[in-house]
Amino acid sequence: QVQLVESGGGLVQGGGSLRLSCAASVNIFSFNAMGWYRQAPGKQQDFVARITSGGSTIYADSVKGRFTISRDNAKNTVYLQMDSLKPEDSAVYYCAAFVPGPAYWGQGTQVTVSS
């Protein structure tokens, strides 16, 4: 059974940084890619970033240049380094495993950015 467990969320001031982690219960090479989505209250879920098994990355325009996705295959963990955070980045962040579309999801971790 595939389990994705996110951690690292919290409250941070605008301009600050957070690093989210997503630990998988299986070898992440099992998936075409790993990624992050987010959902703010009352809004739809939005794509944030994705990294393929080969290491190629893609980002939403809203986070490009501020967020960095990476993976540690030995630890079966994916990270999202978030810098220069803005209040509009506040949301629940979800980890996803792609097969090839997002097929498995974590429970989410709350990120709140104060102004």
Side-chain angles (χ1 to χ4, degrees):
Q1 185 177 354
V2 176
Q3 288 187 317
L4 303 176
V5 180
E6 301 101 332
S7 61
L11 173 65
V12 65
Q13 244 183 342
S17 298
L18 281 175
R19 188 176 82 153
L20 305 183
S21 300
C22 171
S25 61
V26 298
N27 190 327
I28 58 176
F29 271 115
S30 303
F31 311 114
N32 293 41
M34 300 289 295
W36 293 91
Y37 286 74
R38 66 186 181 186
Q39 187 168 22
K43 296 190 176 181
Q44 67 180 19
Q45 188 181 62
D46 290 329
F47 167 78
V48 176
R50 188 181 73 183
I51 184 167
T52 69
S53 56
S56 298
T57 58
I58 187 170
Y59 297 91
D61 287 343
S62 58
V63 307
K64 208 172 289 184
R66 299 187 298 122
F67 291 11
T68 304
I69 189 170
S70 61
R71 57 194 290 157
D72 185 332
N73 296 322
K75 295 182 178 179
N76 292 319
T77 300
V78 177
Y79 303 98
L80 185 69
Q81 177 66 41
M82 304 186 296
D83 298 318
S84 302
L85 282 162
K86 305 175 182 179
E88 51 264 44
D89 293 318
S90 297
V92 177
Y93 283 70
Y94 297 92
C95 177
F98 290 74
V99 197
Y104 300 99
W105 297 89
Q107 81 287 351
T109 185
Q110 177 71 48
V111 171
T112 303
V113 184
S114 63
S115 55

